[in-house]
Amino acid sequence: MSDSSTLSERAYRIRRYALRMGEVQGQGYIGQALGWADVLAVAYGHAMHYRPEDPQWESRDRFLLSHGHYAIAFYAALIEAGIIAEEELDTYGSDDSRLPMSGMATYTPGMEMSGGSLGQGLPIAVGMALGLRQKNNPAFVYNSMSDGELDEGSTWEAAMSASHHGLANLICLVDINNQQADGPSGKVLGFEPLADKWAAFGWHVQRVDGNDLQAVTRAFDTARALHERKPRVILFDTLMGKGVPFLEQREKNHFIRVDPPEWQQAIDFLDQSQTEGVAS
Amino acid sequence: MSATTEKKPRLTTSAMIASIASEGQRVKAAPFGKALVDLAAARPDIVGMTADLAKYTDLHLFAQAYPDRFFQMGMAEQVLVAAAGGMAKEGFVPFATTYAVFGTRRAFDFVHQVIAEENLNVKLCCALPGLTTGYGPSHQACEDLALMRSIPNMMVIDPCDALEIEQAVPAIAAHQGPVYMRLLRGQVPLVLDEYDYQFELGKAKLLRDGKDVLLISSGILTMRALEVAKSLDEIGVGAAVLHVPTLKPLDTQTIVREARREGRLVVVAENHSEIGGLGEAVATALLSEGVAPRFRRIALPDAFLDAGALPTLHDRYGISSAAITSSVKGWLD
C-alpha cells in the first residue's frame, strides 16, 4: 500500500469521525472539517513528530489550531492520531466533555492553544518558535489558520515578526476555502493576491490544492526540508464539504445544519467512495 | 504688582515626561531594569520582550546584559503579548514591557485569551500607569487596573516606589501564573526605605498608624498618602496609611481589620479611574464583610483627562499631596 493510499484512508476516517461528531450536535463546522481533512491527515499521518501516549513530549512538533471553530476537524485528527479515544467522540460539545465545540488547550490533550478568537495563533506560534530555537529544540511549530484570519491585523504583525526573526522552524498552514461567516471571502474583505503578500512579508510561499493528497504531502516535505532562514507558509485551496457532494454544493456552508437522515447519507457516501477508491 | 497676582512659572508637558519624582525627592534610577538583570543571573528561564519601548521601560538594561535573552517584537502589542504566551508555553518566564495603555487596552483580548485563560507564566510590566504622563488620553492608562482586575487568573500589582519595584520583580517571577504590574521607570522616587518595608505578594502593609483617618492606597498614591499623613500630623490629625500594592488578590483580611477600628474616616486613594480600581475593590470588600465606616474616595474622574504638565494635572484632578490634604481636611470638618 502506498503512502498516499494510507493517507487517503486517514483522511477518510478523519471525515467520518467529524461527521459522527456533527451528528451528535446536529450541526457544526462540517464543511471546514471535510475540506481540511486532507491537510490534517498529512500533518498527523506523515509530517509531524509526536507520541500519541505523551501529547506533551518535549520534542513533539507543535500544532496550533488558531481557528478554534475547526475543533470538530481537529478532534477527528486527534482520534486518528491515537491521542484521544474514539469513544470520546460521542461526548462532543456535551456538558463536561473534553471536546468543547470551540477548541481549548485547557480541555483537550494534544490541543496546543485556546483558539477561537481569530488571529491569535500565528503570534503565539512566533513566541513558541522563538522559544524552541532558544532551547535548541529542532521541533517545528505548525500554525493552522483559516483564510478569514487574514482579515486580522495581528496575523500580519506576526507574519512580519516571524520573518524579522528568521523563524525557519515555523510553518503556517492557511485554509483558503473562500467562505466566511458573512459570505464569500472576496466580498467580506478581499485578501488576494495572497502568495504575493506572504512573499512580500519575507516568507517562503507555496500554494497547492489542499484536497490533492500528493500535492499536500509534497508541500509539507518542501516546507520542512527548506534550508532558507525564513518562515514557511503553505496556502491550501480547499473545497468546503469535500467528499460529500450534497454538502460541497450547499450554498451556505460556513456553519452547516444537517437534517438527521442526512448525516447517515453523508457517512454512507463517504464509505462507498472510499471502498471504490481503495478497490480501484 | 502684588504678590498675589504674580504669575506662576508656566509648566510644560515635556519637562515632566522623564520622571514622576518631584523636585528634591530622593530617587533611584531604573529599579525595574536593574532588578531584572540581577534576577536573571540566577534564572536562565527569564527572558525580556518589548514592543519598541525597551528604552522607555528600563528593559534596555536587560537587553544590554542579556542580548540573547532579549526579544524585540516591534510596535505590535498583540504579538508582544501572544508571543510572550508562546514563550511561556515553552517554559520561559517572559517579562514583557510596553506602556500600560498599549499592554492593557490595545492587547486586551490577547491578554485574556492567550495568557490568562491558559494561566501562562507571563509578567506584563507596563509603564505610564494612571496619570503619570501629560500626553493626554492616548497615553494615560486610567483604566488599566479595571481591565486587568476583571480577567480571571490575573494577579495585579501597583507598586509605590523604587524599593518596592526591586522587591516585586523577584516576587512576581517566583509566582506561577500571569501578572500585570504597573511600572515606574526612569528616576523613580524612593520613600518606603524609611518604613522598614518588605513587599509580599497579596499583602497589604500598614506603613504608619493614626487614630483619626485611615488612608488606604496603592501605587504612587501611597507616596502621596504618606506626605498627606505628615501634614495632617502637623495640625493634630492622626492619619494611618495602609498600602495595598496587590489589587488582586486583595488582602481583604487586613483591610477589614483596619477599617473596622472605630472612629476613623476611611479614605481610599488611587491613581486610576474611579471606576473599577482600588476604591471599588475596597468598598466591595468592606460591605461584603459587614463593615461600613465613614468612607471617601480620591480617584481620577470618569473622564478623558487633559494634556499638560503633571504637577498641574495632579492638582487639577485632586491627586497631588496638597489636593488630597485639602480634601481630607474638608471631610473631617
Side-chain angles (χ1 to χ4, degrees):
Chain A
M1 192 184 288
S2 73
D3 191 36
S4 67
S5 74
T6 309
L7 289 174
S8 119
E9 286 168 26
R10 284 180 177 274
Y12 150 72
R13 284 193 294 268
I14 288 172
R15 289 190 166 94
R16 204 174 190 283
Y17 291 137
L19 283 171
R20 286 175 59 197
M21 278 183 273
E23 194 172 7
V24 171
Q25 291 290 330
Q27 57 190 16
Y29 295 95
I30 281 298
Q32 291 87 336
L34 295 171
W36 201 229
D38 296 307
V39 170
L40 289 169
V42 174
Y44 278 86
H46 173 78
M48 285 169 53
H49 296 281
Y50 60 95
R51 288 180 175 167
E53 72 286 0
D54 182 11
Q56 291 298 305
W57 178 45
E58 172 66 8
S59 298
R60 74 193 182 282
D61 289 330
R62 278 70 166 156
F63 188 99
L64 301 179
L65 190 75
S66 185
H67 39 181
H69 61 293
Y70 278 48
I72 194 167
F74 192 61
Y75 300 149
L78 291 177
I79 293 170
E80 175 60 24
I83 294 171
I84 54 180
E86 189 183 342
E87 297 80 66
E88 262 187 82
L89 173 161
D90 292 332
T91 73
Y92 170 69
S94 306
D95 292 345
D96 304 320
S97 170
R98 297 202 298 178
L99 312 180
M101 285 191 72
S102 186
M104 284 188 274
T106 43
Y107 280 59
T108 315
M111 184 71 82
E112 298 275 5
M113 67 172 281
S114 293
S117 180
L118 298 177
Q120 295 189 335
L122 197 57
I124 298 172
V126 165
M128 291 175 80
L130 283 168
L132 287 168
R133 189 166 74 188
Q134 193 77 358
K135 292 190 283 188
N136 295 314
N137 182 328
F140 279 105
V141 181
Y142 291 90
N143 177 65
S144 174
M145 64 181 280
S146 60
D147 53 4
E149 294 183 76
L150 298 166
D151 297 359
E152 297 280 2
S154 56
T155 295
W156 298 104
E157 293 178 21
M160 201 149 66
S161 187
S163 67
H164 172 80
H165 289 286
L167 296 177
N169 54 351
L170 174 55
I171 300 176
C172 186
L173 315 169
V174 187
D175 181 13
I176 303 168
N177 56 36
N178 283 306
Q179 285 288 330
Q180 294 185 225
D182 267 349
S185 299
K187 287 189 179 172
V188 174
L189 188 64
F191 47 64
E192 297 290 1
L194 210 42
D196 293 348
K197 282 198 174 100
W198 285 93
F201 275 72
W203 287 59
H204 176 270
V205 188
Q206 301 176 78
R207 185 162 190 165
V208 302
D209 178 348
N211 297 121
D212 174 342
L213 279 170
Q214 285 187 347
V216 172
T217 306
R218 274 198 306 273
F220 269 88
D221 289 347
T222 302
R224 288 157 67 214
L226 203 71
H227 290 293
E228 282 179 287
R229 203 167 172 272
K230 276 181 168 185
R232 300 97 207 264
V233 62
I234 313 174
L235 308 170
F236 293 105
D237 290 295
T238 66
L239 181 63
M240 297 275 269
K242 175 73 183 178
V244 180
F246 69 87
L247 293 178
E248 289 174 11
Q249 285 150 19
R250 195 161 290 199
E251 201 172 310
K252 288 181 180 171
N253 57 6
H254 177 76
F255 185 84
I256 291 179
R257 285 184 179 76
V258 178
D259 295 331
E262 286 185 316
W263 292 103
Q264 194 54 50
Q265 284 170 27
I267 289 174
D268 288 348
F269 187 87
L270 267 187
D271 289 352
Q272 191 187 339
S273 58
Q274 182 64 15
T275 312
E276 287 165 3
V278 171
S280 64
Chain B
M1 196 178 275
S2 73
T4 49
T5 58
E6 203 173 299
K7 274 181 106 180
K8 282 184 182 173
R10 197 176 67 177
L11 297 176
T12 60
T13 306
S14 60
M16 303 308 298
I17 285 176
S19 176
I20 51 141
S22 47
E23 213 178 310
Q25 192 171 27
R26 287 187 303 131
V27 293
K28 272 184 115 170
F32 168 74
K34 288 177 184 165
L36 195 61
V37 167
D38 288 348
L39 180 66
R43 291 281 305 266
D45 54 341
I46 286 176
V47 295
M49 305 176 82
T50 193
D52 194 26
L53 285 171
K55 285 184 206 161
Y56 300 88
T57 55
D58 294 341
L59 194 67
H60 64 294
L61 297 178
F62 181 89
Q64 286 160 11
Y66 298 100
D68 58 335
R69 284 155 64 180
F70 169 73
F71 300 91
Q72 173 59 264
M73 302 313 292
M75 201 195 300
E77 292 77 17
Q78 299 179 138
V79 172
L80 169 74
V81 165
M87 274 280 185
K89 281 170 171 291
E90 293 303 334
F92 295 95
V93 181
F95 276 71
T97 74
T98 179
Y99 285 165
V101 281
F102 309 133
T104 65
R105 287 194 328 228
R106 194 181 195 109
F108 185 76
D109 186 47
F110 290 68
V111 178
H112 186 283
Q113 275 306 110
V114 177
I115 292 179
E117 200 270 331
E118 290 190 48
N119 203 28
L120 298 179
N121 215 359
V122 174
K123 318 304 169 185
L124 187 58
C125 301
C126 292
L128 302 187
L131 184 51
T132 53
T133 167
Y135 266 39
S138 65
H139 284 60
Q140 290 160 349
C142 301
E143 311 88 358
D144 61 332
L145 298 175
L147 288 167
M148 293 297 107
R149 280 182 63 226
S150 69
I151 299 179
N153 287 338
M154 188 61 76
M155 183 174 259
V156 180
I157 314 285
D158 185 14
C160 165
D161 76 339
L163 178 76
E164 184 154 54
I165 287 173
E166 286 169 2
Q167 296 175 345
V169 165
I172 66 173
H175 169 75
Q176 182 69 36
V179 176
Y180 173 70
M181 183 173 84
R182 280 180 150 192
L183 189 58
L184 306 169
R185 54 87 200 262
Q187 299 294 323
V188 178
L190 179 62
V191 295
L192 291 179
D193 57 335
E194 287 178 26
Y195 295 85
D196 192 25
Y197 182 76
Q198 178 61 50
F199 172 81
E200 279 182 85
L201 275 181
K203 295 289 181 200
K205 296 283 172 89
L206 194 68
L207 299 178
R208 55 171 287 158
D209 212 347
K211 62 179 176 27
D212 303 309
V213 182
L214 171 65
L215 298 164
I216 301 177
S217 57
S218 71
I220 60 166
L221 267 275
T222 292
M223 183 172 91
R224 296 278 153 78
L226 290 167
E227 291 163 2
V228 169
K230 281 180 187 166
S231 59
L232 289 175
D233 245 1
E234 288 164 14
I235 56 164
V237 174
V241 175
L242 180 65
H243 177 44
V244 187
T246 308
L247 275 86
K248 187 183 174 188
L250 193 68
D251 185 356
T252 303
Q253 200 183 7
T254 304
I255 291 167
V256 166
R257 185 191 71 212
E258 289 302 321
R260 200 168 248 156
R261 284 168 56 185
E262 290 290 319
R264 296 203 292 196
L265 169 70
V266 173
V267 178
V268 181
E270 60 188 316
N271 174 30
H272 185 269
S273 161
E274 62 190 12
I275 293 175
L278 182 67
E280 286 192 351
V282 168
T284 303
L286 293 182
L287 285 179
S288 300
E289 296 292 325
V291 180
R294 284 184 66 213
F295 185 85
R296 294 287 184 278
R297 293 178 58 190
I298 305 279
L300 299 170
D302 174 28
F304 292 103
L305 307 185
D306 297 337
L310 273 186
T312 310
L313 298 178
H314 280 201
D315 261 335
R316 185 172 300 164
Y317 295 111
I319 61 167
S320 66
S321 293
I324 299 170
T325 306
S326 158
S327 296
V328 174
K329 278 183 186 168
W331 291 325
L332 283 170
D333 289 341

